[in-house]
Amino acid sequence: MKLLVTLMMWCLHDVAAVWRKKAEHKTWINNVILPARDRQQHDGLAQCVEDGSNGSEYSGTISVTASHHRCLSWNISKHLQIIYGLGSHKYCRNPDNSPMPWCLVRRNKLIVREFCKIPRCEVKPTNSLRHSETLKQDTETTCGKRIQKRIYRIVGGVKSTIESQPWVASIFKGEAFQCGGTLITPCWVLTAAHCFPEGAKTSIHRFSVHLGKNAINETNLRKEQMFKVAKLVIHEDYTGNNYNNDIALLQIVDNSGQCAHRTHSVRTVCLPPPQQMLPSGSFCDIAGYGREKSNSVYFSRFLKEAQVKLISQKVCQHNDYYGAEVTNNMFCAASPIWTEDACQGDSGGPLVCEMNGRMFLFGVISWGHGCATEFNPGVYTKVTNYNQWIAQHTGLPSFTKGIMYPQKD
Ligand code: 4AZ
């Protein structure tokens, strides 16, 4: 008896190894696309396998294999049932990180494991009705919330995750990364005017905006949302020679006519009220995919974030710093020992400051002499000078009043 059990376990192991090898070359999951609303139809459990997943979260009720064999109850192998904590059912599962869910079947008097036919989940709902039924959007009152997930320690700074800065947008011209941006409403991204050197002649159809991206050259369809540019508004008074009014708006829309939907990797930031400024010395975060050194050829592959300290207007406009190069539509920030700074490629991205557990966008990364060099702080467009301008061009005054900003008693 003991020998038979050992033989059976060996067989199971052996056949499993063969199947694992086969599965590397062939997908056994039928190419059936389930609409998003059907994914969780059974007690809130996953009924399909997400793209890129091995189905370890699958908890549906399919109990036939890819080769049409009926699954046996898991209690046929007490050993597997116990080590994997499976019940006395016969549904396909992936308890051991196999390439996909599987179950035990009887073949030629032997009990072997076979992979199952599980429908793939739809990556994106196909019609806009279903889209709006299932997907949430941020509103004026849900902005600025994030899951802070720093991994470890722009120039200097720490490698970040998009969940820590879910409002960060990346703007591409064709295949080329162009600039950062910040999601301020589900349909609008705020960025820098100097990202569009062709000004009013810019052909917007060449641009795309990506949200939810952890790394520039990495596409994770489960996190990322991609958009075309429906409209570009460059500030009318932007002057390229001194970067005054370095601010622009992009209206975004996806292929099914929708704007950004709210996930852990995609959220809107809050706007502070008009003319609100924080005291100098306050620490804020900057984020971007820009260069890690001013002379570096490459952009940072990963999203990075750094903490910088706000510098008073008086100090930044002093001749030891930038003098009159810094206008009142700009402010400066730097790390106290000049080790962390925004750099080329971070332009257009956010400087955000926390107030009562929410993040508010105070600055758009604009310019600076070099990167992380002494007495040459980063210069940011002062967003709170533009609430009215943003309201006028987006038609969304409720997002620009700063209603989530803590009120003084
Ligand atoms: C740039 O070229 C740039 N050190 C942005 C920020 C800074 C420097 C250059 C600030 O886009």
Side-chain angles (χ1 to χ4, degrees):
M1 181 63 187
K2 204 167 175 193
L3 184 67
L4 184 67
V5 171
T6 314
L7 199 68
M8 226 168 85
M9 288 315 300
W10 178 82
C11 252
L12 274 178
H13 184 267
D14 197 49
V15 174
V18 171
W19 277 93
R20 213 171 265 166
K21 248 196 155 92
K22 275 190 179 177
E24 280 162 20
H25 303 287
K26 187 167 179 179
T27 172
W28 292 97
I29 298 175
N30 263 12
N31 203 17
V32 178
I33 306 289
L34 267 197
R37 64 177 168 189
D38 294 342
R39 284 179 205 177
Q40 309 246 323
Q41 77 202 158
H42 187 75
D43 298 333
L45 304 173
Q47 298 292 300
C48 52
V49 172
E50 299 275 356
D51 221 12
S53 159
N54 63 8
S56 51
E57 72 289 350
Y58 175 71
S59 45
T61 53
I62 289 174
S63 54
V64 276
T65 67
S67 43
H68 307 288
H69 289 111
R70 273 201 230 143
C71 297
L72 300 169
S73 170
W74 289 101
N75 64 15
I76 194 98
S77 162
K78 284 275 175 237
H79 174 74
L80 292 187
Q81 197 187 19
I82 290 164
I83 62 166
Y84 293 138
L86 296 160
S88 297
H89 60 76
K90 51 189 180 184
Y91 307 135
C92 302
R93 294 289 182 263
N94 183 3
D96 61 345
N97 227 8
S98 283
M100 61 203 66
W102 53 275
C103 71
L104 299 174
V105 298
R106 202 180 296 276
R107 260 194 3 216
N108 302 332
K109 293 190 184 155
L110 276 181
I111 295 172
V112 295
R113 47 189 278 176
E114 277 188 4
F115 290 114
C116 297
K117 274 173 132 174
I118 313 289
R120 267 188 212 287
C121 304
E122 195 178 30
V123 174
K124 269 189 179 179
T126 49
N127 69 45
S128 51
L129 181 65
R130 205 177 282 156
H131 206 96
S132 56
E133 272 173 4
T134 53
L135 302 175
K136 289 193 194 118
Q137 278 193 331
D138 267 316
T139 66
E140 299 86 327
T141 58
T142 62
C143 56
K145 290 284 186 184
R146 62 173 174 175
I147 303 167
Q148 214 165 357
K149 251 206 291 186
R150 283 187 187 174
I151 300 178
Y152 46 84
R153 277 220 56 116
I154 304 183
V155 180
V158 296
K159 194 167 150 193
S160 181
T161 62
I162 193 67
E163 289 83 359
S164 298
Q165 300 285 340
W167 29 81
V168 170
S170 43
I171 301 170
F172 286 81
K173 185 179 181 185
E175 299 278 292
F177 173 76
Q178 199 76 6
C179 265
T182 311
L183 189 70
I184 56 164
T185 81
C187 303
W188 291 91
V189 165
L190 195 68
T191 184
H194 83 258
C195 295
F196 308 95
E198 291 166 58
K201 294 203 190 90
T202 307
S203 29
I204 56 170
H205 67 268
R206 297 187 63 194
F207 283 82
S208 61
V209 175
H210 299 233
L211 298 169
K213 227 173 166 46
N214 262 323
I216 277 302
N217 43 9
E218 201 176 272
T219 303
N220 180 346
L221 291 177
R222 296 170 73 190
K223 287 191 175 186
E224 197 170 316
Q225 297 177 36
M226 275 173 272
F227 302 89
K228 297 177 285 189
V229 175
K231 193 173 179 185
L232 167 65
V233 186
I234 298 174
H235 198 284
E236 306 73 16
D237 301 325
Y238 165 65
T239 39
N241 58 348
N242 66 350
Y243 283 22
N244 197 24
N245 299 302
D246 190 13
I247 196 163
L249 279 163
L250 294 169
Q251 189 177 26
I252 56 169
V253 66
D254 73 10
N255 284 336
S256 44
Q258 300 290 309
C259 298
H261 61 265
R262 176 175 130 192
T263 65
H264 288 323
S265 354
V266 176
R267 300 291 307 253
T268 55
V269 76
C270 300
L271 289 176
Q275 305 307 325
Q276 181 72 51
M277 235 6 236
L278 288 173
S280 54
S282 305
F283 273 99
C284 296
D285 289 348
I286 54 173
Y289 307 91
R291 282 184 216 279
E292 299 197 64
K293 289 191 183 117
S294 50
N295 56 358
S296 161
V297 181
Y298 301 104
F299 289 119
S300 163
R301 216 169 87 88
F302 296 99
L303 179 65
K304 289 188 85 184
E305 66 179 272
Q307 279 215 318
V308 288
K309 208 166 157 180
L310 304 186
I311 295 172
S312 75
Q313 210 67 357
K314 196 168 162 206
V315 168
C316 210
Q317 289 175 335
H318 192 274
N319 284 339
D320 289 344
Y321 284 72
Y322 288 128
E325 283 185 77
V326 165
T327 71
N328 284 335
N329 293 313
M330 309 170 189
F331 68 89
C332 303
S335 75
I337 49 167
W338 309 102
T339 47
E340 298 178 350
D341 193 10
C343 203
Q344 201 192 348
D346 292 319
S347 289
L351 177 144
V352 290
C353 314
E354 185 177 343
M355 297 298 292
N356 285 5
R358 276 181 204 272
M359 302 306 286
F360 289 84
L361 181 70
F362 280 87
V364 173
I365 299 173
S366 180
W367 65 276
H369 292 171
C371 306
T373 47
E374 271 185 41
F375 303 107
N376 289 295
V379 184
Y380 299 82
T381 310
K382 199 186 279 180
V383 171
T384 51
N385 280 6
Y386 297 94
N387 296 57
Q388 174 83 47
W389 179 81
I390 297 169
Q392 182 193 333
H393 290 283
T394 59
L396 296 168
S398 58
F399 279 85
T400 63
K401 284 192 182 125
I403 56 169
M404 298 314 290
Y405 202 79
Q407 301 296 313
K408 280 200 195 118
D409 297 322

